[in-house]
Amino acid sequence: QVQLVESGGGSVQPGGSLRRSCATSGYSVSDYCMGWFRQDSGKEREGVAHIDTYGSTSYADSVKGRFTISKDDAKNTLYLQMDSLKLEDTAMYYCAAYEGYACVSGSCCFTQAPGDFDYWGHGTQVTVS
């Protein structure tokens, strides 16, 4: 049984930093495509960052240069370092895991939409105010 357990998040002032973690069980972060998504009330869930099996990354334009996605294969954990946070970064943040070998790398991984992912964390609120 695959589980994604998130930690981190919370409240921070504009310009501050937060680090999100997503610990997995029953899943190998080294083998597949993973991502971070966010959703604000009344809006659609949007991709924030993706990381493929080789560790290559892709970011939404709105967070590029401020957020960093990474993973620790030995710990089977995904991370999201969020720096220079802005008011508009306020949202629920979710980690997501894709379990398939069809899209493990490159543009195929980076263009995976929310509906393509197989497993989700419970989500954690990030509030910038």
Side-chain angles (χ1 to χ4, degrees), residues 38 46-49 58-68 80-83 86 89 93:
R38 66 185 181 187
E46 64 172 353
V48 174
S58 177
Y59 298 91
D61 288 343
S62 58
V63 307
K64 201 171 293 183
R66 301 188 296 118
F67 289 14
T68 304
L80 183 68
Q81 177 67 40
M82 301 182 288
D83 298 319
K86 303 178 180 180
D89 294 320
Y93 283 72

Side-chain angles (χ1 to χ4, degrees), residues 14-36:
S17 298
L18 287 171
R19 190 188 194 214
R20 301 293 320 284
S21 297
C22 176
T24 74
S25 60
Y27 183 85
S28 176
V29 302
S30 64
D31 290 345
Y32 304 109
C33 173
M34 298 191 74
W36 287 97

Side-chain angles (χ1 to χ4, degrees), residues 75-93:
K75 295 182 178 179
N76 263 332
T77 300
L78 179 72
Y79 302 98
L80 183 68
Q81 177 67 40
M82 301 182 288
D83 298 319
S84 302
L85 282 159
K86 303 178 180 180
L87 296 175
E88 53 264 40
D89 294 320
T90 295
M92 283 288 288
Y93 283 72

Side-chain angles (χ1 to χ4, degrees), residues 30-34 50-58 71 98 100-112:
S30 64
D31 290 345
Y32 304 109
C33 173
M34 298 191 74
H50 291 67
I51 187 166
D52 72 9
T53 186
Y54 300 110
S56 296
T57 59
S58 177
K71 59 180 180 172
Y98 171 75
Y101 291 106
C103 278
V104 297
S105 65
S107 60
C108 190
C109 167
F110 301 152
T111 56
Q112 293 280 72

